[in-house]
Amino acid sequence: MLKSVSIALALTLAGAPIAAQTPPPPPPAAAKTQAAAYVKAAGMSDLYEITSSQIALQKSRNEGVRRFAQAMIDHHRHTTQATVAAARQAGLTPMPPQLGGAKASIEELRRATLENFDRLYLGQQATAHQAALDLHQSYASSGDKAPLKASARAAVPIVQQHIQMLSQMPR
């Protein structure tokens, strides 16, 4: 017992996470080509980004992380509105976004200590943005509804900007 406590303390002092990180799940394969699945996956991705970033504004004491979180809230609200508008233009009636499988990631952020929060949040963000980039790029090239393909194409540089921002954040 004492040895495991010592290892955990050493990992904490070294900045290593003790528990495994729970990134949001990747979108289903159908979301890369089928309109309804794409709208649902894009909505879940945006809602995760908004919700996780609202938690970051509450918990983080790092001004850079807080600026990044506010940008995520602003940008992902915009991409949600654009996706909903494109879905309607494509003849769909989109449901309000739901967290779905991303609930575990949100709960992990809510439970995180202040000392571990920024590292956990930024790690989740990196994984989530790579998945979002893949989703939008794939649908933009192979999607089945033109208005949503255009919306996905417009989302790609936004997500790429977020990945660039993340690459410059110290962890």
Side-chain angles (χ1 to χ4, degrees):
M1 170 77 174
L2 184 56
K3 185 176 181 179
S4 63
V5 170
S6 297
I7 292 171
L9 179 58
L11 289 172
T12 300
L13 293 174
I18 294 174
Q21 178 179 302
T22 307
K32 296 178 180 185
T33 59
Q34 298 171 12
Y38 169 76
V39 171
K40 182 177 179 181
M44 186 196 85
S45 176
D46 282 343
L47 185 58
Y48 160 77
E49 294 295 343
I50 292 165
T51 305
S52 64
S53 296
Q54 288 169 334
I55 296 168
L57 289 179
Q58 294 168 2
K59 292 184 94 166
S60 181
R61 301 298 170 245
N62 180 309
E63 217 29 63
V65 170
R66 293 175 59 77
R67 278 192 305 274
F68 175 81
Q70 187 61 59
M72 295 308 96
I73 292 168
D74 297 342
H75 295 175
H76 287 283
R77 283 182 177 158
H78 172 75
T79 56
T80 296
Q81 291 170 350
T83 301
V84 168
R88 288 187 178 131
Q89 187 179 2
L92 301 174
T93 305
M95 300 296 293
Q98 297 185 5
L99 283 172
K103 286 179 186 175
S105 302
I106 294 297
E107 287 308 312
E108 185 176 51
L109 291 173
R110 286 187 174 129
R111 289 189 312 267
T113 64
L114 294 179
E115 296 78 23
N116 292 324
F117 180 81
D118 290 347
R119 184 176 51 252
L120 182 64
Y121 170 70
L122 294 173
Q124 283 188 8
Q125 290 296 308
T127 303
H129 277 88
Q130 286 299 327
L133 181 61
D134 180 50
L135 171 68
H136 295 303
Q137 286 177 328
S138 296
Y139 193 86
S141 67
S142 303
D144 59 353
K145 300 281 185 182
L148 284 165
K149 287 177 74 165
S151 180
R153 227 178 345 270
V156 167
I158 295 168
V159 176
Q160 288 172 327
Q161 177 190 18
H162 297 170
I163 291 169
Q164 178 64 30
M165 291 167 72
L166 280 164
S167 73
Q168 296 171 353
M169 302 279 299
R171 288 190 215 177

